[in-house]
Amino acid sequence: MHVVIMGCGRLGSTLAHNLESRGHSVAVIDQNADAFRRLGSDFGGITVTGVGFDRDVMRAAGIERADAFAAVSSGDNSNIISARLARETFGVSRVVARIYDSRRAQVYERLGIPTVATIRWAADRMVRHLVPEGTVEVFRDPTSVVSIVEVPMHRDWVGRPLKSLEDATGSRVAYLMRFGMGTLGNPSTVIQDGDQIFMLVTDDTVGDVLDIAAGSGSLREGN
C-alpha cells in the first residue's frame, strides 16, 4: 500500500514509522519542514512541505496512487478538509481523520469519514481506569448502531468457553485482552482469571449482556 499522512507531529511520525515497518510506502505532508526531524534519518518515505489540503501538495505526496490517507494534524478544519479531498476528489477508499471536537467527529462519521476523536477517546480510557465498574465504549460504528464495550465478568465465568458466554448473552465476543495482549479467541477459548472481555452490542442489548456477564440470568440458573 501507499499511504499519505497529513501532519508530522508525534502521532503522524509514529504512524509513518509503524506503516513503513510493515512494508508500506509512506509520504508525509507538513507545512513546517522542521517537523520532519521527528521521522529520523532512517525514514525511507517521501516528505512534502506544504499545506495538507492543497491539491498540488497532495499530488506531490502521491495521493493519486494512494491506497489510504490519514489526516492527523493539530487542526480539525485542516484534517476534515484534506480527508474529504482525499476521498471525494482523489477517490482514496481508506481515509481517517483525527478530530479533537467529539461532536464534530460524530457528524463527519455520519458522512462516511471515519474519525478518531482524541479527547473523547482519552476521556473514555481515563474513566475505565478510574471507575472500572463503569461501562465505557471502546468503539461505535459510524451509524451509531453497533458498539464494542468491555464487559465486567463474574468470577464464575472463569473456566468456561467463550461460546457459553455468547450463547447466554446472545452477543458476540469481539476480542479479549490476556496478559496485556489482544487476541481474537474462538468459541472454544476458555476464559481465564484476569481476562478482559470486549463484546459487540447494541443500545438495546447492552443492559442484558452486562447483567448476564455480571452473574445474573442464565449463569445463575446454571446454564
Side-chain angles (χ1 to χ4, degrees):
M1 291 175 58
H2 178 61
V3 183
V4 177
I5 299 171
M6 195 273 279
C8 195
R10 284 177 293 180
L11 176 57
S13 58
T14 301
L15 182 59
H17 280 295
N18 188 310
L19 290 166
E20 190 175 51
S21 70
R22 296 168 182 256
H24 304 298
S25 66
V26 181
V28 183
I29 300 170
D30 201 290
Q31 56 185 335
N32 181 6
D34 289 339
F36 298 131
R37 293 179 181 177
R38 292 189 176 94
L39 296 171
S41 58
D42 59 337
F43 179 66
I46 302 169
T47 58
V48 181
T49 304
V51 177
F53 50 83
D54 182 281
R55 288 174 172 80
D56 291 334
V57 171
M58 297 177 80
R59 289 189 180 97
I63 193 68
E64 291 172 317
R65 60 184 176 89
D67 302 286
F69 178 84
V72 294
S73 77
S74 59
D76 282 4
N77 289 336
S78 297
N79 287 342
I80 201 61
I81 291 171
S82 62
R84 293 192 64 180
L85 275 173
R87 168 162 289 180
E88 298 169 12
T89 301
F90 294 103
V92 181
S93 58
R94 298 182 181 183
V95 175
V96 64
R98 176 172 68 175
I99 303 294
Y100 285 91
D101 186 336
S102 61
R103 292 170 299 180
R104 296 174 70 186
Q106 293 171 1
V107 172
Y108 293 128
E109 285 179 347
R110 293 190 181 99
L111 293 175
I113 299 175
T115 62
V116 177
T118 309
I119 295 173
R120 180 183 62 189
W121 182 89
D124 285 350
R125 295 290 295 179
M126 292 292 287
V127 167
R128 185 181 307 124
H129 289 291
L130 293 170
V131 191
E133 72 274 11
T135 303
V136 181
E137 294 178 2
V138 297
F139 168 83
R140 180 172 285 266
D141 84 295
T143 65
S144 198
V145 174
V146 178
S147 60
I148 297 177
V149 298
E150 182 178 355
V151 180
M153 303 296 296
H154 191 279
R155 62 180 179 273
D156 287 349
W157 285 104
V158 174
R160 296 162 64 102
L162 289 180
K163 185 177 187 303
S164 66
L165 176 63
E166 293 181 332
D167 288 346
T169 60
S171 184
R172 298 174 68 177
V173 173
Y175 67 98
L176 60 90
M177 295 290 295
R178 178 172 292 173
F179 304 122
M181 297 294 293
T183 180
L184 293 178
N186 59 61
S188 63
T189 298
V190 175
I191 299 171
Q192 297 183 12
D193 188 26
D195 283 353
Q196 294 174 270
I197 309 294
F198 297 82
M199 301 192 72
L200 290 160
V201 297
T202 64
D203 291 342
D204 292 335
T205 64
V206 62
D208 289 340
V209 170
L210 292 172
D211 285 345
I212 293 170
S216 62
S218 58
L219 180 62
R220 288 183 178 173
E221 294 167 6
N223 292 336

